[in-house]
mmCIF file of all heavy atoms in Angstrom:
data_model
loop_
_atom_site.group_PDB
_atom_site.id
_atom_site.type_symbol
_atom_site.label_atom_id
_atom_site.label_comp_id
_atom_site.label_asym_id
_atom_site.label_seq_id
_atom_site.Cartn_x
_atom_site.Cartn_y
_atom_site.Cartn_z
ATOM 1 N N ARG C 1 -10.999 -10.664 -2.871
ATOM 2 C CA ARG C 1 -10.931 -10.766 -1.418
ATOM 3 C C ARG C 1 -9.722 -11.600 -1.029
ATOM 4 O O ARG C 1 -9.602 -12.750 -1.467
ATOM 5 C CB ARG C 1 -12.212 -11.430 -0.885
ATOM 6 C CG ARG C 1 -12.415 -11.237 0.595
ATOM 7 C CD ARG C 1 -13.776 -11.732 1.068
ATOM 8 N NE ARG C 1 -14.876 -10.830 0.682
ATOM 9 C CZ ARG C 1 -15.828 -11.167 -0.187
ATOM 10 N NH1 ARG C 1 -15.811 -12.333 -0.776
ATOM 11 N NH2 ARG C 1 -16.785 -10.310 -0.473
ATOM 12 N N PRO C 2 -8.808 -11.045 -0.234
ATOM 13 C CA PRO C 2 -7.623 -11.837 0.149
ATOM 14 C C PRO C 2 -7.997 -13.155 0.791
ATOM 15 O O PRO C 2 -8.944 -13.229 1.595
ATOM 16 C CB PRO C 2 -6.898 -10.921 1.153
ATOM 17 C CG PRO C 2 -7.378 -9.539 0.828
ATOM 18 C CD PRO C 2 -8.780 -9.699 0.360
ATOM 19 N N ASP C 3 -7.292 -14.203 0.427
ATOM 20 C CA ASP C 3 -7.499 -15.545 0.965
ATOM 21 C C ASP C 3 -7.167 -15.535 2.465
ATOM 22 O O ASP C 3 -6.280 -14.803 2.904
ATOM 23 C CB ASP C 3 -6.564 -16.509 0.234
ATOM 24 C CG ASP C 3 -6.900 -17.948 0.485
ATOM 25 O OD1 ASP C 3 -7.811 -18.461 -0.176
ATOM 26 O OD2 ASP C 3 -6.244 -18.572 1.359
ATOM 27 N N ASP C 4 -7.858 -16.348 3.241
ATOM 28 C CA ASP C 4 -7.657 -16.356 4.702
ATOM 29 C C ASP C 4 -6.215 -16.593 5.112
ATOM 30 O O ASP C 4 -5.705 -15.933 6.017
ATOM 31 C CB ASP C 4 -8.560 -17.415 5.367
ATOM 32 C CG ASP C 4 -10.008 -16.928 5.406
ATOM 33 O OD1 ASP C 4 -10.209 -15.726 5.215
ATOM 34 O OD2 ASP C 4 -10.924 -17.749 5.609
ATOM 35 N N GLY C 5 -5.544 -17.520 4.453
ATOM 36 C CA GLY C 5 -4.173 -17.843 4.875
ATOM 37 C C GLY C 5 -3.107 -17.222 3.988
ATOM 38 O O GLY C 5 -2.071 -17.833 3.765
ATOM 39 N N HIS C 6 -3.370 -16.007 3.494
ATOM 40 C CA HIS C 6 -2.421 -15.413 2.531
ATOM 41 C C HIS C 6 -1.087 -15.051 3.157
ATOM 42 O O HIS C 6 -0.987 -14.847 4.393
ATOM 43 C CB HIS C 6 -3.054 -14.225 1.779
ATOM 44 C CG HIS C 6 -3.214 -12.995 2.611
ATOM 45 N ND1 HIS C 6 -2.178 -12.160 2.891
ATOM 46 C CD2 HIS C 6 -4.313 -12.461 3.208
ATOM 47 C CE1 HIS C 6 -2.614 -11.143 3.625
ATOM 48 N NE2 HIS C 6 -3.901 -11.316 3.847
ATOM 49 N N VAL C 7 -0.059 -14.976 2.313
ATOM 50 C CA VAL C 7 1.334 -14.847 2.786
ATOM 51 C C VAL C 7 1.699 -13.474 3.382
ATOM 52 O O VAL C 7 2.742 -13.348 3.990
ATOM 53 C CB VAL C 7 2.339 -15.164 1.654
ATOM 54 C CG1 VAL C 7 2.279 -16.622 1.263
ATOM 55 C CG2 VAL C 7 2.095 -14.272 0.426
ATOM 56 N N PHE C 8 0.856 -12.464 3.193
ATOM 57 C CA PHE C 8 1.226 -11.111 3.637
ATOM 58 C C PHE C 8 0.696 -10.755 5.023
ATOM 59 O O PHE C 8 0.994 -9.688 5.533
ATOM 60 C CB PHE C 8 0.738 -10.071 2.623
ATOM 61 C CG PHE C 8 1.299 -10.296 1.244
ATOM 62 C CD1 PHE C 8 0.488 -10.809 0.227
ATOM 63 C CD2 PHE C 8 2.622 -10.038 0.964
ATOM 64 C CE1 PHE C 8 1.012 -11.053 -1.037
ATOM 65 C CE2 PHE C 8 3.153 -10.291 -0.293
ATOM 66 C CZ PHE C 8 2.345 -10.781 -1.297
ATOM 67 N N LYS C 9 -0.069 -11.660 5.622
ATOM 68 C CA LYS C 9 -0.640 -11.384 6.957
ATOM 69 C C LYS C 9 0.452 -11.063 7.962
ATOM 70 O O LYS C 9 1.391 -11.834 8.141
ATOM 71 C CB LYS C 9 -1.437 -12.598 7.423
ATOM 72 C CG LYS C 9 -2.900 -12.317 7.447
ATOM 73 C CD LYS C 9 -3.740 -13.345 8.105
ATOM 74 C CE LYS C 9 -5.193 -12.956 7.871
ATOM 75 N NZ LYS C 9 -6.118 -13.968 7.718
ATOM 76 N N GLY C 10 0.320 -9.914 8.610
ATOM 77 C CA GLY C 10 1.270 -9.536 9.634
ATOM 78 C C GLY C 10 2.641 -9.081 9.157
ATOM 79 O O GLY C 10 3.496 -8.689 9.938
ATOM 80 N N LYS C 11 2.850 -9.091 7.828
ATOM 81 C CA LYS C 11 4.157 -8.676 7.283
ATOM 82 C C LYS C 11 4.290 -7.145 7.343
ATOM 83 O O LYS C 11 3.300 -6.419 7.228
ATOM 84 C CB LYS C 11 4.272 -9.125 5.822
ATOM 85 C CG LYS C 11 4.519 -10.624 5.656
ATOM 86 C CD LYS C 11 6.004 -10.921 5.610
ATOM 87 C CE LYS C 11 6.315 -12.401 5.727
ATOM 88 N NZ LYS C 11 6.080 -13.135 4.498
ATOM 89 N N LYS C 12 5.543 -6.692 7.484
ATOM 90 C CA LYS C 12 5.794 -5.249 7.488
ATOM 91 C C LYS C 12 5.924 -4.767 6.045
ATOM 92 O O LYS C 12 6.869 -5.143 5.355
ATOM 93 C CB LYS C 12 7.083 -4.942 8.260
ATOM 94 C CG LYS C 12 6.950 -5.134 9.754
ATOM 95 C CD LYS C 12 8.247 -4.758 10.443
ATOM 96 C CE LYS C 12 8.117 -4.948 11.965
ATOM 97 N NZ LYS C 12 9.414 -4.800 12.621
ATOM 98 N N ILE C 13 4.985 -3.940 5.620
ATOM 99 C CA ILE C 13 4.951 -3.482 4.232
ATOM 100 C C ILE C 13 4.952 -1.962 4.183
ATOM 101 O O ILE C 13 4.271 -1.287 4.955
ATOM 102 C CB ILE C 13 3.681 -4.005 3.486
ATOM 103 C CG1 ILE C 13 3.600 -5.526 3.544
ATOM 104 C CG2 ILE C 13 3.665 -3.538 2.042
ATOM 105 C CD1 ILE C 13 2.340 -6.115 2.917
ATOM 106 N N THR C 14 5.754 -1.413 3.250
ATOM 107 C CA THR C 14 5.707 0.030 3.000
ATOM 108 C C THR C 14 5.446 0.238 1.506
ATOM 109 O O THR C 14 5.586 -0.701 0.715
ATOM 110 C CB THR C 14 7.022 0.730 3.452
ATOM 111 O OG1 THR C 14 6.795 2.147 3.415
ATOM 112 C CG2 THR C 14 8.194 0.383 2.550
ATOM 113 N N TYR C 15 5.048 1.452 1.161
ATOM 114 C CA TYR C 15 4.696 1.744 -0.241
ATOM 115 C C TYR C 15 5.496 2.939 -0.750
ATOM 116 O O TYR C 15 5.611 3.947 -0.057
ATOM 117 C CB TYR C 15 3.193 2.016 -0.350
ATOM 118 C CG TYR C 15 2.738 2.560 -1.693
ATOM 119 C CD1 TYR C 15 2.801 1.763 -2.839
ATOM 120 C CD2 TYR C 15 2.285 3.866 -1.826
ATOM 121 C CE1 TYR C 15 2.408 2.260 -4.073
ATOM 122 C CE2 TYR C 15 1.872 4.362 -3.048
ATOM 123 C CZ TYR C 15 1.948 3.551 -4.173
ATOM 124 O OH TYR C 15 1.563 4.055 -5.400
ATOM 125 N N HIS C 16 6.053 2.783 -1.935
ATOM 126 C CA HIS C 16 6.807 3.864 -2.582
ATOM 127 C C HIS C 16 5.906 4.542 -3.612
ATOM 128 O O HIS C 16 5.430 3.888 -4.540
ATOM 129 C CB HIS C 16 8.060 3.288 -3.252
ATOM 130 C CG HIS C 16 8.683 4.206 -4.256
ATOM 131 N ND1 HIS C 16 9.486 5.276 -3.905
ATOM 132 C CD2 HIS C 16 8.611 4.211 -5.618
ATOM 133 C CE1 HIS C 16 9.875 5.907 -5.006
ATOM 134 N NE2 HIS C 16 9.365 5.274 -6.055
ATOM 135 N N ASP C 17 5.675 5.849 -3.459
ATOM 136 C CA ASP C 17 4.832 6.599 -4.415
ATOM 137 C C ASP C 17 5.571 6.884 -5.706
ATOM 138 O O ASP C 17 6.573 7.604 -5.693
ATOM 139 C CB ASP C 17 4.434 7.961 -3.804
ATOM 140 C CG ASP C 17 3.353 7.834 -2.746
ATOM 141 O OD1 ASP C 17 2.196 7.613 -3.112
ATOM 142 O OD2 ASP C 17 3.686 7.987 -1.552
ATOM 143 N N PRO C 18 5.115 6.349 -6.847
ATOM 144 C CA PRO C 18 5.731 6.752 -8.127
ATOM 145 C C PRO C 18 5.394 8.211 -8.413
ATOM 146 O O PRO C 18 4.275 8.662 -8.172
ATOM 147 C CB PRO C 18 5.049 5.839 -9.164
ATOM 148 C CG PRO C 18 4.351 4.779 -8.375
ATOM 149 C CD PRO C 18 4.024 5.392 -7.053
ATOM 150 N N CYS C 19 6.354 8.972 -8.950
ATOM 151 C CA CYS C 19 6.150 10.404 -9.185
ATOM 152 C C CYS C 19 4.947 10.697 -10.082
ATOM 153 O O CYS C 19 4.157 11.579 -9.784
ATOM 154 C CB CYS C 19 7.405 11.014 -9.817
ATOM 155 S SG CYS C 19 8.843 10.956 -8.748
ATOM 156 N N TYR C 20 4.842 9.947 -11.186
ATOM 157 C CA TYR C 20 3.775 10.257 -12.147
ATOM 158 C C TYR C 20 2.415 9.775 -11.704
ATOM 159 O O TYR C 20 1.389 10.191 -12.257
ATOM 160 C CB TYR C 20 4.115 9.702 -13.532
ATOM 161 C CG TYR C 20 4.961 10.666 -14.320
ATOM 162 C CD1 TYR C 20 6.318 10.426 -14.548
ATOM 163 C CD2 TYR C 20 4.422 11.848 -14.798
ATOM 164 C CE1 TYR C 20 7.106 11.337 -15.238
ATOM 165 C CE2 TYR C 20 5.192 12.765 -15.498
ATOM 166 C CZ TYR C 20 6.533 12.510 -15.703
ATOM 167 O OH TYR C 20 7.306 13.421 -16.383
ATOM 168 N N LEU C 21 2.379 8.920 -10.681
ATOM 169 C CA LEU C 21 1.084 8.498 -10.135
ATOM 170 C C LEU C 21 0.721 9.422 -8.979
ATOM 171 O O LEU C 21 -0.404 9.924 -8.910
ATOM 172 C CB LEU C 21 1.160 7.051 -9.642
ATOM 173 C CG LEU C 21 -0.160 6.404 -9.266
ATOM 174 C CD1 LEU C 21 -1.085 6.331 -10.465
ATOM 175 C CD2 LEU C 21 0.047 5.020 -8.659
ATOM 176 N N GLY C 22 1.691 9.664 -8.110
ATOM 177 C CA GLY C 22 1.438 10.487 -6.940
ATOM 178 C C GLY C 22 1.425 11.965 -7.210
ATOM 179 O O GLY C 22 0.378 12.565 -7.471
ATOM 180 N N ARG C 23 2.622 12.567 -7.217
ATOM 181 C CA ARG C 23 2.672 14.032 -7.303
ATOM 182 C C ARG C 23 2.069 14.584 -8.587
ATOM 183 O O ARG C 23 1.451 15.645 -8.580
ATOM 184 C CB ARG C 23 4.116 14.494 -7.153
ATOM 185 C CG ARG C 23 4.612 14.342 -5.741
ATOM 186 C CD ARG C 23 6.038 14.787 -5.559
ATOM 187 N NE ARG C 23 6.965 13.993 -6.341
ATOM 188 C CZ ARG C 23 8.267 14.230 -6.407
ATOM 189 N NH1 ARG C 23 8.771 15.255 -5.765
ATOM 190 N NH2 ARG C 23 9.058 13.457 -7.120
ATOM 191 N N ALA C 24 2.237 13.877 -9.691
ATOM 192 C CA ALA C 24 1.733 14.414 -10.973
ATOM 193 C C ALA C 24 0.224 14.237 -11.145
ATOM 194 O O ALA C 24 -0.439 15.045 -11.792
ATOM 195 C CB ALA C 24 2.462 13.767 -12.155
ATOM 196 N N ASN C 25 -0.339 13.170 -10.550
ATOM 197 C CA ASN C 25 -1.780 12.903 -10.750
ATOM 198 C C ASN C 25 -2.568 12.694 -9.461
ATOM 199 O O ASN C 25 -3.742 12.386 -9.503
ATOM 200 C CB ASN C 25 -1.954 11.679 -11.660
ATOM 201 C CG ASN C 25 -1.608 12.012 -13.098
ATOM 202 O OD1 ASN C 25 -2.375 12.658 -13.801
ATOM 203 N ND2 ASN C 25 -0.430 11.586 -13.561
ATOM 204 N N GLU C 26 -1.868 12.874 -8.337
ATOM 205 C CA GLU C 26 -2.518 12.829 -7.019
ATOM 206 C C GLU C 26 -3.281 11.532 -6.723
ATOM 207 O O GLU C 26 -4.339 11.549 -6.098
ATOM 208 C CB GLU C 26 -3.409 14.055 -6.807
ATOM 209 C CG GLU C 26 -2.592 15.340 -6.840
ATOM 210 C CD GLU C 26 -3.376 16.579 -6.453
ATOM 211 O OE1 GLU C 26 -4.602 16.542 -6.540
ATOM 212 O OE2 GLU C 26 -2.750 17.570 -6.067
ATOM 213 N N VAL C 27 -2.760 10.417 -7.235
ATOM 214 C CA VAL C 27 -3.347 9.107 -6.894
ATOM 215 C C VAL C 27 -2.528 8.562 -5.723
ATOM 216 O O VAL C 27 -1.464 7.980 -5.913
ATOM 217 C CB VAL C 27 -3.322 8.126 -8.094
ATOM 218 C CG1 VAL C 27 -3.886 6.770 -7.694
ATOM 219 C CG2 VAL C 27 -4.099 8.710 -9.260
ATOM 220 N N TYR C 28 -3.018 8.829 -4.528
ATOM 221 C CA TYR C 28 -2.313 8.389 -3.313
ATOM 222 C C TYR C 28 -3.074 7.280 -2.586
ATOM 223 O O TYR C 28 -2.468 6.402 -1.989
ATOM 224 C CB TYR C 28 -2.143 9.563 -2.334
ATOM 225 C CG TYR C 28 -1.302 10.705 -2.870
ATOM 226 C CD1 TYR C 28 -1.826 11.969 -3.045
ATOM 227 C CD2 TYR C 28 0.051 10.491 -3.195
ATOM 228 C CE1 TYR C 28 -1.057 13.030 -3.519
ATOM 229 C CE2 TYR C 28 0.826 11.538 -3.680
ATOM 230 C CZ TYR C 28 0.274 12.789 -3.833
ATOM 231 O OH TYR C 28 1.042 13.830 -4.314
ATOM 232 N N GLU C 29 -4.407 7.368 -2.615
ATOM 233 C CA GLU C 29 -5.213 6.475 -1.764
ATOM 234 C C GLU C 29 -5.367 5.066 -2.320
ATOM 235 O O GLU C 29 -5.306 4.101 -1.551
ATOM 236 C CB GLU C 29 -6.607 7.102 -1.512
ATOM 237 C CG GLU C 29 -6.565 8.412 -0.767
ATOM 238 C CD GLU C 29 -5.696 8.406 0.478
ATOM 239 O OE1 GLU C 29 -5.692 7.375 1.207
ATOM 240 O OE2 GLU C 29 -4.989 9.394 0.726
ATOM 241 N N ALA C 30 -5.574 4.933 -3.631
ATOM 242 C CA ALA C 30 -5.886 3.609 -4.208
ATOM 243 C C ALA C 30 -4.861 2.537 -3.833
ATOM 244 O O ALA C 30 -5.234 1.501 -3.265
ATOM 245 C CB ALA C 30 -6.041 3.709 -5.723
ATOM 246 N N PRO C 31 -3.563 2.749 -4.086
ATOM 247 C CA PRO C 31 -2.605 1.701 -3.717
ATOM 248 C C PRO C 31 -2.584 1.396 -2.224
ATOM 249 O O PRO C 31 -2.448 0.244 -1.813
ATOM 250 C CB PRO C 31 -1.263 2.246 -4.194
ATOM 251 C CG PRO C 31 -1.481 3.665 -4.574
ATOM 252 C CD PRO C 31 -2.925 3.892 -4.756
ATOM 253 N N ARG C 32 -2.756 2.438 -1.418
ATOM 254 C CA ARG C 32 -2.735 2.235 0.034
ATOM 255 C C ARG C 32 -3.959 1.453 0.488
ATOM 256 O O ARG C 32 -3.864 0.610 1.392
ATOM 257 C CB ARG C 32 -2.653 3.591 0.756
ATOM 258 C CG ARG C 32 -1.263 4.230 0.631
ATOM 259 C CD ARG C 32 -1.208 5.631 1.205
ATOM 260 N NE ARG C 32 0.181 6.109 1.282
ATOM 261 C CZ ARG C 32 0.853 6.628 0.256
ATOM 262 N NH1 ARG C 32 0.267 6.766 -0.910
ATOM 263 N NH2 ARG C 32 2.115 7.006 0.408
ATOM 264 N N LYS C 33 -5.101 1.712 -0.115
ATOM 265 C CA LYS C 33 -6.323 0.995 0.271
ATOM 266 C C LYS C 33 -6.220 -0.489 -0.087
ATOM 267 O O LYS C 33 -6.730 -1.355 0.616
ATOM 268 C CB LYS C 33 -7.543 1.639 -0.397
ATOM 269 C CG LYS C 33 -7.958 2.906 0.331
ATOM 270 C CD LYS C 33 -9.222 3.503 -0.212
ATOM 271 C CE LYS C 33 -9.655 4.709 0.602
ATOM 272 N NZ LYS C 33 -10.560 5.582 -0.124
ATOM 273 N N VAL C 34 -5.543 -0.760 -1.212
ATOM 274 C CA VAL C 34 -5.326 -2.163 -1.611
ATOM 275 C C VAL C 34 -4.494 -2.864 -0.530
ATOM 276 O O VAL C 34 -4.810 -3.961 -0.092
ATOM 277 C CB VAL C 34 -4.627 -2.263 -2.983
ATOM 278 C CG1 VAL C 34 -4.273 -3.715 -3.302
ATOM 279 C CG2 VAL C 34 -5.504 -1.675 -4.098
ATOM 280 N N LEU C 35 -3.440 -2.185 -0.073
ATOM 281 C CA LEU C 35 -2.573 -2.771 0.957
ATOM 282 C C LEU C 35 -3.297 -2.898 2.298
ATOM 283 O O LEU C 35 -3.069 -3.838 3.055
ATOM 284 C CB LEU C 35 -1.299 -1.923 1.119
ATOM 285 C CG LEU C 35 -0.344 -1.910 -0.082
ATOM 286 C CD1 LEU C 35 0.786 -0.905 0.137
ATOM 287 C CD2 LEU C 35 0.235 -3.289 -0.372
ATOM 288 N N GLU C 36 -4.220 -1.960 2.568
ATOM 289 C CA GLU C 36 -4.977 -2.007 3.835
ATOM 290 C C GLU C 36 -5.853 -3.244 3.934
ATOM 291 O O GLU C 36 -6.219 -3.672 5.037
ATOM 292 C CB GLU C 36 -5.840 -0.749 3.988
ATOM 293 C CG GLU C 36 -5.062 0.454 4.532
ATOM 294 C CD GLU C 36 -5.808 1.771 4.340
ATOM 295 O OE1 GLU C 36 -7.044 1.739 4.140
ATOM 296 O OE2 GLU C 36 -5.143 2.825 4.397
ATOM 297 N N SER C 37 -6.214 -3.825 2.776
ATOM 298 C CA SER C 37 -7.095 -5.003 2.782
ATOM 299 C C SER C 37 -6.354 -6.278 3.196
ATOM 300 O O SER C 37 -6.936 -7.338 3.319
ATOM 301 C CB SER C 37 -7.723 -5.202 1.396
ATOM 302 O OG SER C 37 -6.736 -5.666 0.475
ATOM 303 N N LEU C 38 -5.033 -6.165 3.414
ATOM 304 C CA LEU C 38 -4.196 -7.353 3.623
ATOM 305 C C LEU C 38 -4.040 -7.810 5.065
ATOM 306 O O LEU C 38 -3.504 -8.894 5.304
ATOM 307 C CB LEU C 38 -2.786 -7.109 3.061
ATOM 308 C CG LEU C 38 -2.668 -6.895 1.562
ATOM 309 C CD1 LEU C 38 -1.241 -6.504 1.219
ATOM 310 C CD2 LEU C 38 -3.070 -8.148 0.797
ATOM 311 N N ASP C 39 -4.427 -6.962 6.035
ATOM 312 C CA ASP C 39 -4.199 -7.311 7.423
ATOM 313 C C ASP C 39 -2.698 -7.445 7.702
ATOM 314 O O ASP C 39 -2.229 -8.385 8.334
ATOM 315 C CB ASP C 39 -4.932 -8.635 7.766
ATOM 316 C CG ASP C 39 -5.075 -8.839 9.273
ATOM 317 O OD1 ASP C 39 -4.843 -7.860 10.022
ATOM 318 O OD2 ASP C 39 -5.347 -9.971 9.702
ATOM 319 N N ALA C 40 -1.943 -6.501 7.147
ATOM 320 C CA ALA C 40 -0.478 -6.480 7.337
ATOM 321 C C ALA C 40 -0.104 -5.278 8.187
ATOM 322 O O ALA C 40 -0.949 -4.462 8.542
ATOM 323 C CB ALA C 40 0.204 -6.390 5.966
ATOM 324 N N GLN C 41 1.190 -5.174 8.549
ATOM 325 C CA GLN C 41 1.677 -4.003 9.303
ATOM 326 C C GLN C 41 2.178 -2.981 8.280
ATOM 327 O O GLN C 41 3.235 -3.162 7.679
ATOM 328 C CB GLN C 41 2.847 -4.398 10.195
ATOM 329 C CG GLN C 41 2.500 -5.322 11.334
ATOM 330 C CD GLN C 41 3.774 -5.622 12.143
ATOM 331 O OE1 GLN C 41 4.448 -4.722 12.618
ATOM 332 N NE2 GLN C 41 4.096 -6.889 12.267
ATOM 333 N N LEU C 42 1.393 -1.934 8.079
ATOM 334 C CA LEU C 42 1.755 -0.925 7.065
ATOM 335 C C LEU C 42 2.477 0.243 7.705
ATOM 336 O O LEU C 42 2.097 0.715 8.765
ATOM 337 C CB LEU C 42 0.511 -0.430 6.334
ATOM 338 C CG LEU C 42 -0.379 -1.480 5.669
ATOM 339 C CD1 LEU C 42 -1.549 -0.827 4.982
ATOM 340 C CD2 LEU C 42 0.433 -2.295 4.659
ATOM 341 N N SER C 43 3.542 0.685 7.046
ATOM 342 C CA SER C 43 4.229 1.873 7.529
ATOM 343 C C SER C 43 4.520 2.793 6.337
ATOM 344 O O SER C 43 4.655 2.326 5.217
ATOM 345 C CB SER C 43 5.524 1.492 8.237
ATOM 346 O OG SER C 43 6.459 0.995 7.298
ATOM 347 N N GLU C 44 4.599 4.087 6.621
ATOM 348 C CA GLU C 44 4.908 5.059 5.573
ATOM 349 C C GLU C 44 6.405 5.379 5.591
ATOM 350 O O GLU C 44 7.031 5.415 6.652
ATOM 351 C CB GLU C 44 4.118 6.359 5.782
ATOM 352 C CG GLU C 44 2.626 6.233 5.528
ATOM 353 C CD GLU C 44 2.251 6.192 4.042
ATOM 354 O OE1 GLU C 44 3.161 6.097 3.181
ATOM 355 O OE2 GLU C 44 1.037 6.251 3.769
ATOM 356 N N LEU C 45 6.966 5.603 4.403
ATOM 357 C CA LEU C 45 8.343 6.075 4.318
ATOM 358 C C LEU C 45 8.363 7.529 4.775
ATOM 359 O O LEU C 45 7.343 8.229 4.676
ATOM 360 C CB LEU C 45 8.841 5.965 2.874
ATOM 361 C CG LEU C 45 8.910 4.540 2.314
ATOM 362 C CD1 LEU C 45 9.214 4.567 0.817
ATOM 363 C CD2 LEU C 45 9.963 3.717 3.042
ATOM 364 N N LYS C 46 9.502 8.005 5.272
ATOM 365 C CA LYS C 46 9.536 9.380 5.804
ATOM 366 C C LYS C 46 9.243 10.408 4.699
ATOM 367 O O LYS C 46 8.724 11.474 4.974
ATOM 368 C CB LYS C 46 10.867 9.666 6.516
ATOM 369 C CG LYS C 46 12.084 9.638 5.633
ATOM 370 C CD LYS C 46 13.355 9.932 6.420
ATOM 371 C CE LYS C 46 14.561 9.862 5.503
ATOM 372 N NZ LYS C 46 15.812 10.035 6.239
#
């Protein structure tokens, strides 16, 4: 569970999909869900 005063709160974060994790094995949600737990500003790359 993220600590209340953690350093990523409100930070602008994006995620880069590795080819062998994403397109080759369709693991898209797990890393994004981890980032969603941070209370940060998440954006997707185009």
Side-chain angles (χ1 to χ4, degrees):
R1 196 172 286 113
D3 193 81
D4 285 345
H6 72 78
V7 293
F8 302 106
K9 250 190 187 147
K11 285 269 169 77
K12 288 182 180 171
I13 304 176
T14 192
Y15 170 67
H16 163 79
D17 285 286
C19 296
Y20 274 107
L21 190 63
R23 288 180 297 176
N25 287 285
E26 298 188 338
V27 178
Y28 297 118
E29 298 311 321
R32 286 174 170 82
K33 282 185 176 160
V34 175
L35 294 173
E36 278 165 19
S37 72
L38 295 173
D39 196 14
Q41 293 180 55
L42 304 181
S43 68
E44 290 284 9
L45 296 171
K46 64 179 179 185

